[in-house]
Amino acid sequence: MNRSLSSPDSISGWLMIIAGGATSAYAAANYGIGTMRLVGPGAFPLGVGILLAVIGAAVLLVSVKRSIASDHEPHRIEWAGIARVGFSISAFALLIGSFGAIPAVAAVSFISIADRSRKSWARAGAATVLLSVGSILLFQQFLELRFVAIGWPF
Amino acid sequence: MESFGQLIPNIALGLETALSPANLMYCVVGVVAGMLIGVLPGIGALTAISLLFPITIYLDPTAALIMLAGIHYGASYGGHVASILLNLPGTTSAAVITLDGYPMAQKGKAGVALLATTIASFLGGSFSIIGMMILAPLVAGIALDMGPAEYFSLMVLGLVAAATISTGSALKGIGMMLVGVVIGIIGIDPNTATNRFTFGVLHLSDGVSLVVLAMGLFGVAEVICNFGEKPPIAPHSHRVNFRSMLLSREEIRRSIAPISRGSTIGFLCGILPGLGGLIASYMAYAAEKRVSKTPDEFGHGAIEGIVGPEASNNSADQASFIPTMTLGIPGSANMALMLAMLMIHGITPGPTIITNHPDLFWGLIMSFWMGNLVLLLLNIPLIGVWIRILSIPRIYLMPAIIIMVCFGVFSISNDAFPVWMVLVFGLVGYGMRLLDLPASTLLLGFVLGPLLETNLKNALILARGDVFTIFSRPVTGTVLFLAVLLFLWGIWSTIKTGRAVETKSPEFCPPEDQ
């Protein structure tokens, strides 16, 4: 495959064209455009969407024109980081409502830090204690947010 | 002049507000948090403001604004510490300080460099504060006569300038700004009460929350980005004590002119949308190098090369409040967050803010003095603490930031939906970094988008649907013409050189702090 077509700029260009096209098409199909005097709810998204698609096309054009002058290697994707952050936030979302803050904080700490080494488990434990106390003091006591420290839904 | 006669009572009112114990405390909390963030490489002021944003919803608006502002300018004080001692800029705008600051530290003059930049920061900030006290009421006076058409055109100019100048590529900057505008459309249309782009999801009819968007794009994405980073090695050689900080008479003499030039450059950059501290500091460095009689010294520890940019940087940080507070048009993502915070509290930033909320406006200005004074006093004694913080394993930061983000978005509606949303925006933000797309202009577009739409619609109603009456008004026409010119220049330079402005370093994961 031509390298210029898989460059970050080309991908950005395609994504902008798709996003812009989808926005304007959806707006035109579902919301009234109105008149110049009384603008309907669909007019602004339609215009912004078209503009976005045009800009995307320009980004794509520029990147194809500059095919050889690719300025740097594509960035390495941090899959481990994505997985740890993704799972810890998901765990928080699932636990906070029914099991409460401390299990949620513990899940975040262990998923984000712990690996095979013993030291990392100790660190995750320390982080759990510190962050549980900190978040309960700040969010529950100071900001009076409603959540339980520890709960059991069954 | 009427406005000058009012200055003394206004200052008194401001001092009264800024010196109230609660506001003073939030000012100190803000500047210390900002300093800390500035020292830590990889976390910018924008991330810090995003993380503390949900807390401000519970505070009094004046206290909240004072705290967020403290983070904004405190970060630049902290930024130069890591630049000088470690050759590692804590914030992007402090990168220029490494050029001469680190060579000074290698020559054993770390103490002198730290004190000189701290004083330069203070003087640059003070210059802008005085400028703001004089200029802000004048700008607000002019702005009172502006209608929706003028506002619309000024916002377009501000957005185009921010997207064109402050990002690597003008086209991508504008593209991301438009994506932000589209995300801003989601929710109930205020004019017709139509649900737009909600796809039947009840949670979305209130629109995407700014907290979710900012925390996802800057908090979560930054955590993923920094995942594999190793903490920098803390230096042992640069012992900094008070004796080593004393500036010689020669060094003081050499610093005076660069500080005054830097402050002026920074003030002008701060007022104009899209420029801000980063470009201000580079411009000041270039200016010092040009006027210097010994340009060869630059890069080898010239004191002019650190005091000029540092004064300029902090001066720009303060001055960027002028368009935000008097016109309600933010020039950067940081300022967009301040604006959004005020709107959440039911205060419309704009020319009426000075007359309707004088305590807030003058309290903020006076808090700048307090904050700068606190920074001047705290920066030097805390250097030892900062160095120790830099050697803490980065791994602890990760759960701490995730917890701040999760509780912050959970607090919006006390349920888990925003937590899922923040994960989505975090992944989007990380993807944008992989593709070198600027997230800060997306945020700016998101905040200004709804204002843009409302002003455009109102302008069209007033003009009875005639587009040409809008564009042929003198102010509107000129401003929109400028926006088009700037846009074309941006595209032209993108095509010509590939990059509009070569200010960003090629390193991955630069902290977004504009």
Side-chain angles (χ1 to χ4, degrees), chain B residues 79 160 181 252:
Chain B
V160 170
V181 175
I252 295 173

Side-chain angles (χ1 to χ4, degrees), chain B residues 306-321:
Chain B
I306 56 169
V307 291
E310 190 58 35
S312 178
N313 185 9
N314 203 31
S315 175
D317 279 350
Q318 311 284 0
S320 57
F321 278 91

Side-chain angles (χ1 to χ4, degrees), chain B residues 159-181:
Chain B
L159 281 171
V160 170
T164 311
I165 301 166
S166 64
T167 61
S169 150
L171 280 172
K172 290 201 274 186
I174 303 233
M176 285 306 103
M177 183 208 88
L178 291 170
V179 172
V181 175

Side-chain angles (χ1 to χ4, degrees), chain A residues 20-106:
Chain A
T23 305
S24 45
Y26 191 87
N30 292 285
Y31 313 119
I33 302 299
T35 59
M36 274 315 233
R37 209 161 159 176
L38 208 60
V39 183
F44 189 69
L46 177 70
V48 174
I50 291 172
L51 209 55
L52 177 58
V54 170
I55 298 280
V59 170
L60 186 65
L61 263 178
V62 172
S63 87
V64 172
K65 278 242 173 199
R66 273 192 298 150
S67 56
I68 315 154
S70 161
D71 41 5
H72 58 75
E73 290 289 302
H75 301 300
R76 198 168 48 86
I77 302 178
E78 192 68 69
W79 290 110
I82 295 177
R84 283 190 187 245
V85 172
F87 284 122
S88 50
I89 295 180
S90 307
F92 185 94
L94 293 171
L95 292 172
I96 183 75
S98 40
F99 288 91
I102 295 174
V105 171

Side-chain angles (χ1 to χ4, degrees), chain A residues 7-9 11-12 15-16 19 22-23 26-27 31 36-42 44-45 48-49 51-52 55 58-59 62 66 71-72 75-82 84-86 88-94 96-97 101 104-105 108-109 112-113 122-124 126-127 131 135 138-139 142-143 145-147, chain B residues 26 54-55 58-59 171-172 174-176 178-179 181-182 185 189 192 194-199 220 223-225 227-228 393 395-396 398-400 402-404 406-408 410-411 414 416 419-420 422-423 427 430 433-437 449 452-453 456-457 460-461 464-465 467 487 494-495 497-499 506 508:
Chain A
S7 76
D9 280 12
I11 299 171
S12 314
L15 288 176
M16 285 185 215
T23 305
Y26 191 87
Y31 313 119
M36 274 315 233
R37 209 161 159 176
L38 208 60
V39 183
F44 189 69
V48 174
L51 209 55
L52 177 58
I55 298 280
V59 170
V62 172
R66 273 192 298 150
D71 41 5
H72 58 75
H75 301 300
R76 198 168 48 86
I77 302 178
E78 192 68 69
W79 290 110
I82 295 177
R84 283 190 187 245
V85 172
S88 50
I89 295 180
S90 307
F92 185 94
L94 293 171
I96 183 75
V105 171
V108 169
S109 305
S112 61
I113 297 181
R123 280 177 169 173
L131 292 172
S135 48
L138 178 62
F139 293 101
F142 182 62
L143 298 179
L145 212 64
R146 274 181 296 119
F147 59 82
Chain B
Y26 287 114
I55 296 173
Y58 298 88
L59 300 179
L171 280 172
K172 290 201 274 186
I174 303 233
M176 285 306 103
L178 291 170
V179 172
V181 175
V182 171
I185 293 171
D189 171 32
T192 56
T194 318
N195 263 311
R196 292 191 292 183
F197 300 106
T198 54
F199 308 105
V220 177
V223 173
I224 301 176
C225 248
F227 181 72
I395 201 147
Y396 279 117
M398 206 163 139
I402 296 176
I403 293 292
M404 278 296 278
C406 287
F407 273 110
F410 178 77
S411 71
N414 234 36
V419 185
W420 294 110
V422 87
L423 178 58
L427 295 175
Y430 183 67
R433 281 167 195 235
L434 290 177
L435 295 172
D436 291 323
L437 295 169
L452 212 57
E453 185 179 2
L456 178 62
K457 280 182 177 167
L460 279 170
I461 292 169
R464 294 169 199 281
V467 184
F487 177 59
T494 310
I495 294 170
T497 60
R499 298 266 155 189
F508 185 34

